[in-house]
Amino acid sequence: MTENKEQYEYHVPVMLQECLDGLDIHPDGIYVDLTFGGGGHAREIFKRLSSKGKLIVFDQDVDAKKNAWTAPNFHFVASNFSFLKNQLRMLGVSKVDGILADLGVSSHQFNEPERGFSIRSDEKLDMRMNQRSGDSAFDVVNGYDEEELLSVIGKYGEVKSPRRIAQAICLKRQGNPIETTGQLIEVLEPIAPKFKENKFYAQVFQAIRIEVNDEMNVLERMLEQTAEVLKPKGRLVVMSYHSLEDRLVKNYMKRGSFDGKIEKDFFGNILKPFTEVTRKPIVANDDELEQNSRARSAKLRIAERNEGE
């Protein structure tokens, strides 16, 4: 396996050492990287495996496959990670020792203007992680009615004025469809709070992106499956980039549910598949923040699979 500088530029791995420490890698173990991207985390995991160990990586973005390498104990799965259990079964794997998920959009996806993720360019509205299927951001922005847009922006945008945003979008598209990221920002400009415009635009883009990729439901399905495929004492390491993701991950690791409710057995023991290794999320140190701005919003949580749950 050869090192490739371009692969690291594709996506600089956030909190690399913390992720590796969290996985507590055993050389002969089986590990899964659910968000392969540029392969930064995966490459370092693979280095720590023996020939008996195995690394399985997932990515639904066709661009990511270019960063894969060839080895008998390395497997690239071109799939959404919500199909974790089925894809592992197809590889003849029922249980694994560790799972890593670095959620959110990769640097590469943000930096490729035609993907339509970034507020910095004027490209067609897309935002699909998997460009081969599903509705795009264009379909959401131009096809959803006002109440549907209100729901999406209100739930996923974490903004104060979702109704005004939905109304502005519906009004603008009456003449011609809103086709590009730049046109959408023009709609948002009169509503944006002064001196916080970019954050506001990013929040609206976030809401649309989450809807396009069904990110919250996909995350829930993935997390539930990690409990089924991890061995007892196996590690789950998840890095999130906004509070909606982090809340789901925290609740599932801490309480075994997504809404934060606690279930107990007859004897009063809490029923949950994981025990947190870190009570609070790990955040990037100052040195990393200077080198990689994407790490600023990252929160890393680590949990260990309970025995007998």
Side-chain angles (χ1 to χ4, degrees):
M1 184 178 64
T2 59
E3 295 294 343
N4 185 336
K5 184 172 180 285
E6 289 181 1
Q7 288 172 324
Y8 279 103
E9 289 173 349
Y10 178 107
H11 175 73
V12 179
V14 175
M15 287 192 269
L16 176 59
Q17 191 57 52
E18 292 87 342
C19 289
L20 296 171
D21 292 343
L23 285 169
D24 190 25
I25 297 168
H26 308 296
D28 295 347
I30 301 174
Y31 292 87
V32 180
D33 182 347
L34 291 172
T35 46
F36 178 63
H41 289 103
R43 201 171 293 107
E44 296 302 322
I45 294 169
F46 191 74
K47 284 180 183 176
R48 288 157 175 76
L49 299 180
S50 71
S51 58
K52 294 179 183 177
K54 185 180 290 186
L55 176 61
I56 301 162
V57 304
F58 283 64
D59 209 302
Q60 63 185 337
D61 189 340
V62 291
D63 286 349
K65 193 168 185 179
K66 300 169 188 173
N67 300 314
W69 58 89
T70 303
N73 55 343
F74 173 84
H75 302 277
F76 181 92
V77 180
S79 171
N80 185 291
F81 58 44
S82 64
F83 301 106
L84 168 63
K85 188 178 176 183
N86 284 343
Q87 292 291 344
L88 290 180
R89 188 185 295 126
M90 289 170 66
L91 291 171
V93 174
S94 59
K95 296 290 182 182
V96 302
D97 296 275
I99 297 173
L100 169 67
D102 178 4
L103 305 175
V105 183
S106 74
S107 303
H108 170 76
Q109 289 168 328
F110 268 124
N111 294 336
E112 289 291 303
E114 65 271 16
R115 301 299 295 270
F117 287 107
S118 176
I119 64 172
R120 297 191 302 268
S121 58
D122 184 18
E123 297 292 335
K124 69 177 184 178
L125 284 166
D126 193 328
M127 300 194 194
R128 289 173 297 173
M129 302 284 192
N130 181 354
Q131 289 188 296
R132 295 166 295 181
S133 66
D135 289 343
S136 68
F138 175 88
D139 299 309
V140 171
V141 169
N142 294 284
Y144 280 27
D145 65 27
E146 185 179 313
E147 292 303 315
E148 289 171 322
L149 284 172
L150 171 65
S151 175
V152 167
I153 296 163
K155 275 196 301 184
Y156 303 141
E158 302 174 285
V159 293
K160 294 180 179 178
S161 51
R163 173 71 72 180
R164 288 184 69 199
I165 297 165
Q167 288 174 341
I169 289 171
C170 291
L171 187 64
K172 176 66 175 178
R173 71 189 191 193
Q174 284 178 5
N176 293 297
I178 301 167
E179 297 186 351
T180 69
T181 53
Q183 289 171 3
L184 179 56
I185 286 174
E186 283 179 14
V187 175
L188 300 174
E189 274 178 341
I191 309 169
K194 277 194 173 182
F195 311 116
K196 296 181 180 178
E197 290 91 346
N198 285 346
K199 181 183 179 183
F200 176 75
Y201 302 149
Q203 287 172 306
V204 177
F205 274 49
Q206 170 187 291
I208 296 167
R209 190 201 77 223
I210 289 172
E211 176 69 11
V212 165
N213 296 288
D214 196 23
E215 291 178 30
M216 295 298 103
N217 290 323
V218 165
L219 177 57
E220 287 186 11
R221 292 199 297 271
M222 177 270 280
L223 288 170
E224 288 174 334
Q225 290 174 66
T226 62
E228 297 181 60
V229 302
L230 272 168
K231 296 175 183 177
K233 302 283 187 186
R235 291 290 183 88
L236 174 62
V237 178
V238 183
M239 190 145 44
S240 58
Y241 294 86
H242 58 77
S243 61
L244 301 173
E245 289 174 337
D246 184 59
R247 192 177 302 123
L248 286 182
V249 175
K250 178 181 74 173
N251 284 341
Y252 192 64
M253 288 182 173
K254 191 184 291 284
R255 301 181 179 92
S257 66
F258 297 117
D259 57 10
K261 292 179 181 175
I262 295 174
E263 285 190 44
K264 296 183 179 180
D265 65 14
F266 181 77
F267 300 102
N269 299 309
I270 296 173
L271 295 169
K272 61 174 188 169
F274 290 98
T275 296
E276 292 171 295
V277 173
T278 52
R279 294 289 179 186
K280 291 185 177 181
I282 299 169
V283 296
N285 60 39
D286 291 341
D287 289 342
E288 181 167 4
L289 291 175
E290 279 185 27
Q291 297 172 31
N292 186 2
S293 61
R294 187 172 183 269
R296 192 179 302 116
S297 57
K299 290 185 177 180
L300 181 68
R301 293 187 184 272
I302 304 164
E304 190 169 273
R305 182 70 173 92
N306 294 332
E307 297 188 53
E309 287 290 339

